[in-house]
Amino acid sequence: MSDPTEENGTAGAAEAAASTTASGAGVDARHVRVVLVDDHRMFRTGVQAEIGRTEETGVEVVGEAADVDQAVTVITATRPEVVLLDVHLPGGGGVEVLRRCAPLMADAEQPVRFLALSVSDAAEDVIGVIRGGARGYVTKTITGTDLVNSVFRVQEGDAVFSPRLAGFVLDAFASTDAPPVDEDLDRLTQREREVLRLIARGYAYKEIAKQLFISVKTVESHVSAVLRKLQLSNRHELTRWATARRLV
């Protein structure tokens, strides 16, 4: 005659095993294929190390790219669920990647979704990529855990924004008037705009170089180009110019 205690223990163990298996299946089912697009190799390496531990995070990094042409090639070849996209890229910027990948975003069966990941928190950058089709925009101050969660939310079709950036989008799309064209601003490249904004906020050249992962000499070259294109003499005039246009 069997021991009821032993039977109950066996049954409990079986239930626990079944529960563990089901739970494990749930974790395993949380999986997303991601492409990283950023022109800074060290930053891509850092993101890969932070979120690309597939067994822990469920994120599988299937490709990387450093400029627009590489991005379009890699995204087309790998067909990821989510692309982490920098706004400022050689070859036309994140908006150009979105434009060239529009058919992939429109694929009803296997859509490729984009989440902008940028150092920039400027309204025009946020609005530009959202108008281009990105599902969200987060800044590079985001934690690894929050970035993983944002990637999965975008995979599911949600819109994701760093807290203060959502207001830019709401304001932009609440207005039926198209924003005025600023011919002076249009003369600047995306990177020059980024440097301009940081200069206007009072950052030193070394601080800008560190934040943008570029050399101090490159920062100086960008500042010289901005001053020349805008016909300004020094950083004080540049700061007033940027403030008047609410770029700071």
Side-chain angles (χ1 to χ4, degrees):
M1 186 172 181
S2 61
D3 185 346
T5 302
E6 183 178 342
E7 290 180 357
N8 289 339
T10 302
E15 290 176 2
S19 175
T20 300
T21 301
S23 175
V27 172
D28 291 341
R30 182 176 158 94
H31 181 267
V32 60
R33 299 170 67 253
V34 171
V35 164
L36 305 178
V37 180
D38 193 286
D39 59 338
H40 298 111
R41 182 179 59 81
M42 290 182 63
F43 180 76
R44 297 198 309 272
T45 300
V47 173
Q48 164 82 23
E50 184 72 24
I51 73 171
R53 305 182 305 277
T54 309
E55 292 184 359
E56 299 176 29
T57 64
V59 176
E60 179 187 2
V61 177
V62 297
E64 298 182 14
D67 59 35
V68 170
D69 288 340
Q70 286 181 14
V72 174
T73 298
V74 172
I75 293 166
T76 303
T78 59
R79 296 297 294 265
E81 282 100 8
V82 177
V83 177
L84 286 176
L85 179 68
D86 192 13
V87 175
H88 303 141
L89 294 168
V95 172
E96 178 63 13
V97 176
L98 291 165
R99 186 187 69 78
R100 291 168 59 177
C101 289
L104 301 180
M105 289 189 282
D107 188 329
E109 294 185 2
Q110 191 182 353
V112 176
R113 296 188 169 104
F114 287 78
L115 173 61
L117 175 62
S118 177
V119 68
S120 172
D121 60 0
E124 66 266 25
D125 288 337
V126 179
I127 295 165
V129 294
I130 297 305
R131 289 192 189 279
R135 295 293 305 176
Y137 194 117
V138 294
T139 60
K140 290 180 178 179
T141 57
I142 193 171
T143 66
T145 299
D146 286 343
L147 182 57
V148 169
N149 290 334
S150 296
V151 166
F152 278 105
R153 287 181 59 192
V154 168
Q155 180 196 28
E156 294 164 1
D158 289 345
V160 179
F161 296 93
S162 293
R164 69 180 296 267
L165 305 186
F168 295 155
V169 179
L170 291 174
D171 290 344
F173 287 91
S175 173
T176 56
D177 298 326
V181 175
D182 190 325
E183 293 182 0
D184 290 334
L185 189 60
D186 285 347
R187 294 192 186 100
L188 305 183
T189 66
Q190 290 288 348
R191 181 64 80 192
E192 288 168 353
R193 294 186 193 189
E194 200 168 48
V195 171
L196 160 67
R197 195 171 297 110
L198 293 174
I199 284 288
R201 289 177 180 176
Y203 283 72
Y205 285 5
K206 287 184 179 179
E207 294 173 319
I208 296 172
K210 183 177 180 181
Q211 185 160 343
L212 299 181
F213 301 95
I214 57 179
S215 70
V216 173
K217 188 173 182 179
T218 301
V219 174
E220 292 173 350
S221 297
H222 284 312
V223 172
S224 295
V226 170
L227 292 174
R228 184 181 69 255
K229 290 179 180 180
L230 299 181
Q231 298 182 357
L232 301 174
S233 301
N234 53 53
R235 65 181 297 164
H236 299 295
E237 290 184 3
L238 188 152
T239 298
R240 289 197 297 271
W241 188 93
T243 302
R245 286 161 174 77
R246 303 174 67 182
L247 299 177
V248 181

